[in-house]
Amino acid sequence: MAGGYFILLLVMMNVLSSFQTSNTVNPCCYFPCQHKGVCVRFDLDKYECDCTRTGYYGRNCTIPELWSRIHEFLRPSPSFYHYILTRFKWIWDIVNATFIRNTIVKLVLTVRSNLIPSPPTYNSAYGYISWEAYSNVSYYTRVLPPVPDDCPTPMGTKGKLHLPDAASLVETFLKREQFIPDPQGSNLMFSFFAQHFTHQFFKTYGRMGRGFVKGFGHGVDLSHVYGDSLERQHTLRLFEDGKLKYQIINGDMYPPTVVDAPVHMIYPNSVPKEKQFAMGQEVFGLLPGLMMYATIWLREHNRVCDVLKKEHPTWGDEQLFQTTRLILIGETIKIVIEDYVQHLSGYFLKLKFDPELLFGVQFQYRNRIAVEFNQLYHWHPLMPDNFNIMGKEYDYSNFLYNSSILTDYGVEALVESFTKQIAGKIGGGYNLHPRLLHIAVGVIEESRKLRLQSFNEYRKRFGLKAYKSFQDFTGEEDVASQLESLYGDIDALEFYPGLLLEKTHPNSIFGESMIEIGAPFSLKGLMGNPICSPEYWKPSTFGGETGFNIIKTASIKKLVCLNVKKCPFVAFHVPESGGENHISSETKISDEL
C-alpha cells in the first residue's frame, strides 16, 4: 500500500513539475540586460547579464561607471546634433574651409562605425556567440540575436499573443492615397542609384532558408557590375584590354544581350533574347533606371581600361581588368559618401571620403551585411506614381522590363528626366504605391520568421531612448491609437513598421531611427572596404597617380558626364527653380571636369 502511495506521489510531482516548466518564462524573454549587456540563461528561471566593457554594472547592467556617468551627462541627444548639423549654414561654411572639418568627419566615422560589431556576432541560426556565426558568410549577420523561441509573445513578453496581419498592416498604414514628395528634394536619379548600389550586397537567398545571402560579397565589391561568381564575370568579360563585353546602338555603348553574353537574367518570356541586357545583377532588367546605371558603369569600366592601357602598355588583360575594378570600387565609395550620403543627411558639414582619417585608429577592414540593414533599406516609397521621360508619362505596366526606353532615349535623356522628377517621402507612412505593397508585406513576414526584436530594442541598441507610448512615437493621436489596438504595447512594435511610421524630422525624408540605425551600417560598410586600408590605399594599388586621382576626384556628375556625348544636369536632388534643366550643348566633358 505504501508503495502505491509512493508511486502516486511521484506521478503528482511529475505533473506539477511539468506544469511549472510549461509556465516558466525564459527570463531572457524580458530583455533585462541593458546597454548592450548579454543575457545568459541558467536553469529555468535564472539569468545573468554579462556587462563586460559596456561601461555599466549591476544585475541588469543599469548602473553607470564613472566615465559612463560623465558621458551620459555631456552627450547631446541625436536630435540635438542633427539640428545643429542641418542649421547655421554660415558657420559650417567656415568649418568646411578649415582643419576642423577633418576632425569632425573623423569623429563621425569612428562613432558611427563603432556601433556595428566587428567581428560579427550572431546570425539567424545562432543567437549566441559561435564560430559558425562568425565564419559562415552564407548568412547575413545580425546586430541583435533573435527573440528566443520559447517566449510567450512574438516580441518576448510584451504585446499580444499574435502580431497583426501583415497585409492589413501595410494596407492600413503604408498604402499611398496621394503621392507625398520628399521635402529634401530627392529625385529618381537618387532612387535608382540607391536600388542599383545596394543590390550588390542585398541578395537574399530564400531557397537556402532563413537569413541567407547569395554569393560571398558582404560589401562594395561591384558584383552588380561584374557578377557574383567567377563564371558570370568571365561570361561578361571581353578578355581584351581588360574590358567588358558591350554592343553599340545608335553610336553609343550599351550592355551586351544575353545572346552574346549568356548569363542568367530575370525577364518575362514576352521579352525576346535580343532585347535582354546581360548585366552583373540578374534583376536589373526590371527597370530602365537600373539598366541606365548598368550602362554608365559599363562605359566607365571600359573608359578607365583605356586610361590604364595608355599608362601601362605592357600590362595584360587580367591586370587591366583587376586594377580597373579596384578604381571603380573607389569611385563608388567616394560618390556614395560625398554625393549620396551628403544629400541624404541634409548636413551642412561637408562629408569627406579620405581613408587616411582612420589610419592609426583601431578599425577592422572587413564587413558583413546585417539582416537588419537589409530590412531597413527597403525604401520603396521613393517610387513615384508614374515615370516622366522627356515629357512623356509611363505607368508601371509599360515601364517595367522596357529596355527600349533606355536605347530609344539614350542615357543623357534618362539622366535629365530622372534628375528633374522628385521622389517620394520614405518616413511617416502612407506613401507606398499600390503596385509595391506586396514587397512591404514580404519584408514584415520575413522579419517574423527571423524573429527580429522589437523596434524599441533596436533604438536602445543604437543609443536612442525607447519610446514610452505610441503617441510619443507618431507625434499624433489617431494613428497611435490604431497601432496600440493592434500591438497592445509600444515595446511590441516591429522593426520595419517602426522605421517607416516613426514621426519624421522637420522637412526630412524620414525619422530619427532610420538615420541613427542606418548610418552606422552604411559608413562601416564603406570605410571597412579593403581598399580603404593602409596596405591598399596608395597609388600603386590603382596603377599610379592617374588611377588614384580618378578615385579622389570622382563625383556623380563626373561619372555621368565622362561617359556621354553631351553633359546633362545631374544631381541627387531636383534642380532649383530656374536652375540647370537642360542637356548642355557642349561636347563630351573633358577629364579635367
Side-chain angles (χ1 to χ4, degrees):
M1 195 69 177
Y5 281 121
F6 181 71
I7 293 172
L8 180 62
L9 181 62
L10 284 176
V11 171
M12 290 179 66
M13 287 178 66
N14 279 333
V15 170
L16 288 171
S17 175
S18 65
F19 177 78
Q20 182 183 16
T21 300
S22 64
N23 285 275
T24 299
V25 175
N26 178 348
C28 293
C29 290
Y30 292 95
F31 302 111
C33 307
Q34 304 300 302
H35 304 106
K36 304 182 187 178
V38 178
C39 183
V40 182
R41 188 181 187 183
F42 293 88
D43 210 341
L44 293 175
D45 57 351
K46 295 179 182 178
Y47 73 94
E48 287 183 8
C49 289
D50 185 350
C51 307
T52 305
R53 287 184 291 278
T54 63
Y56 294 80
Y57 63 97
R59 177 171 172 78
N60 293 329
C61 310
T62 54
I63 305 172
E65 297 172 357
L66 176 61
W67 285 112
S68 297
R69 197 181 299 276
I70 295 171
H71 181 260
E72 278 185 358
F73 178 76
L74 295 176
R75 188 183 72 148
S77 68
S79 58
F80 174 78
Y81 62 70
H82 180 82
Y83 179 87
I84 296 297
L85 287 165
T86 56
R87 304 292 192 284
F88 315 112
K89 183 177 183 299
W90 66 273
I91 295 178
W92 290 110
D93 285 343
I94 296 172
V95 169
N96 290 332
T98 67
F99 71 93
I100 302 174
R101 174 194 177 198
N102 282 358
T103 303
I104 297 176
V105 170
K106 179 179 180 178
L107 182 65
V108 168
L109 291 173
T110 52
V111 169
R112 296 286 201 195
S113 298
N114 287 340
L115 287 169
I116 305 301
S118 184
T121 47
Y122 313 107
N123 65 23
S124 296
Y126 294 90
Y128 49 87
I129 297 293
S130 67
W131 185 257
E132 182 68 14
Y134 161 75
S135 63
N136 191 342
V137 296
S138 298
Y139 279 97
Y140 286 110
T141 186
R142 294 177 70 138
V143 171
L144 288 180
V147 175
D149 287 323
D150 55 352
C151 293
T153 72
M155 289 294 137
T157 59
K158 299 293 183 68
K160 301 188 175 183
L161 292 177
H162 300 287
L163 293 168
D165 177 72
S168 298
L169 197 66
V170 170
E171 183 82 20
T172 304
F173 298 103
L174 299 183
K175 181 181 177 181
R176 175 182 297 164
E177 298 298 334
Q178 184 177 356
F179 176 73
I180 306 171
D182 170 30
Q184 287 182 223
S186 302
N187 55 25
L188 294 193
M189 195 69 182
F190 171 88
S191 306
F192 288 127
F193 185 92
Q195 200 170 4
H196 189 269
F197 167 71
T198 58
H199 269 73
Q200 66 188 298
F201 43 77
F202 292 150
K203 298 175 288 188
T204 302
Y205 200 35
R207 276 176 273 175
M208 286 187 65
R210 300 174 186 174
F212 282 92
V213 60
K214 184 181 180 184
F216 302 100
H218 278 265
V220 182
D221 60 1
L222 268 58
S223 59
H224 62 323
V225 175
Y226 303 110
D228 57 11
S229 69
L230 192 61
E231 180 185 9
R232 191 177 184 95
Q233 178 202 118
H234 283 181
T235 306
L236 292 170
R237 284 175 61 177
L238 188 61
F239 286 105
E240 182 179 329
D241 295 335
K243 294 184 176 182
L244 296 170
K245 291 178 182 176
Y246 61 91
Q247 62 173 317
I248 300 297
I249 303 174
N250 299 325
D252 290 319
M253 182 185 296
Y254 292 94
T257 68
V258 295
V259 175
D260 295 321
V263 295
H264 173 66
M265 295 295 298
I266 298 175
Y267 281 95
N269 293 331
S270 58
V271 179
K273 295 285 187 183
E274 57 271 17
K275 289 284 188 179
Q276 296 183 19
F277 285 139
M279 295 167 280
Q281 232 291 356
E282 61 186 12
V283 304
F284 279 177
L286 175 66
L287 295 164
L290 301 178
M291 301 181 216
M292 176 197 73
Y293 272 114
T295 301
I296 292 170
W297 283 112
L298 165 69
R299 294 179 183 179
E300 176 66 0
H301 176 92
N302 288 351
R303 184 190 75 83
V304 173
C305 282
D306 285 336
V307 172
L308 290 179
K309 177 70 173 177
K310 185 177 179 180
E311 289 259 320
H312 306 280
T314 61
W315 280 14
D317 170 77
E318 189 66 20
Q319 189 166 5
L320 289 169
F321 171 83
Q322 297 294 349
T323 305
T324 296
R325 181 172 185 166
L326 291 176
I327 290 172
L328 264 64
I329 289 172
E331 288 186 78
T332 298
I333 297 174
K334 186 170 191 297
I335 289 169
V336 171
I337 291 177
E338 296 192 8
D339 288 327
Y340 178 87
V341 175
Q342 180 74 59
H343 163 73
L344 198 59
S345 69
Y347 293 169
F348 287 128
L349 168 68
K350 205 171 176 185
L351 300 178
K352 184 178 185 181
F353 173 50
D354 182 0
E356 293 184 20
L357 291 175
L358 296 179
F359 291 178
V361 174
Q362 185 178 7
F363 195 82
Q364 294 196 15
Y365 294 96
R366 188 185 180 193
N367 188 57
R368 284 280 292 278
I369 297 298
V371 71
E372 295 97 342
F373 192 32
N374 183 27
Q375 287 257 321
L376 174 149
Y377 229 118
H378 283 79
W379 290 354
H380 293 84
L382 287 168
M383 289 292 101
D385 289 336
N386 294 290
F387 302 88
N388 191 317
I389 311 294
M390 302 303 285
K392 183 176 179 179
E393 293 234 327
Y394 291 85
D395 62 21
Y396 282 80
S397 61
N398 54 26
F399 189 74
L400 302 181
Y401 295 109
N402 191 347
S403 59
S404 296
I405 289 177
L406 173 62
T407 54
D408 290 350
Y409 286 101
V411 169
E412 296 97 320
L414 261 60
V415 168
E416 181 187 10
S417 298
F418 293 151
T419 299
K420 291 167 64 175
Q421 185 171 357
I422 197 164
K425 184 180 181 182
I426 296 171
Y430 304 102
N431 204 23
L432 188 60
H433 191 280
R435 287 285 297 263
L436 304 173
L437 297 182
H438 68 283
I439 298 174
V441 172
V443 174
I444 294 170
E445 290 179 342
E446 179 191 51
S447 74
R448 295 174 181 180
K449 291 176 182 176
L450 297 174
R451 299 184 67 82
L452 259 66
Q453 292 188 32
S454 72
F455 179 64
N456 259 346
E457 289 300 321
Y458 278 101
R459 280 184 61 83
K460 289 189 289 185
R461 171 59 179 76
F462 283 86
L464 303 170
K465 290 183 178 179
Y467 284 115
K468 300 298 184 184
S469 68
F470 281 102
Q471 188 169 342
D472 182 29
F473 163 69
T474 62
E476 54 82 79
E477 295 182 5
D478 291 341
V479 176
S481 178
Q482 289 177 278
L483 288 170
E484 187 162 16
S485 68
L486 291 171
Y487 283 102
D489 194 302
I490 184 65
D491 286 329
L493 178 64
E494 297 171 271
F495 181 61
Y496 185 66
L499 290 167
L500 287 195
L501 295 175
E502 182 182 32
K503 60 190 175 189
T504 60
H505 281 303
N507 300 314
S508 179
I509 192 169
F510 36 50
E512 176 184 69
S513 300
M514 189 78 83
I515 297 170
E516 299 302 321
I517 298 175
F521 283 121
S522 180
L523 293 176
K524 176 63 175 72
L526 294 166
M527 300 307 296
N529 193 284
I531 73 158
C532 300
S533 68
E535 288 298 318
Y536 279 59
W537 188 250
K538 46 193 171 185
S540 56
T541 302
F542 310 103
E545 289 293 346
T546 298
F548 208 17
N549 194 53
I550 291 174
I551 297 174
K552 291 180 176 181
T553 61
S555 68
I556 186 60
K557 180 177 181 180
K558 189 172 181 180
L559 173 67
V560 171
C561 291
L562 286 174
N563 291 292
V564 294
K565 293 173 182 175
K566 297 179 180 179
C567 184
F569 174 61
V570 51
F572 286 141
H573 57 83
V574 291
E576 296 178 6
S577 180
E580 297 177 80
N581 287 328
H582 302 290
I583 292 178
S584 168
S585 59
E586 297 176 6
T587 57
K588 183 175 178 179
I589 196 162
S590 70
D591 283 351
E592 282 73 42
L593 176 71

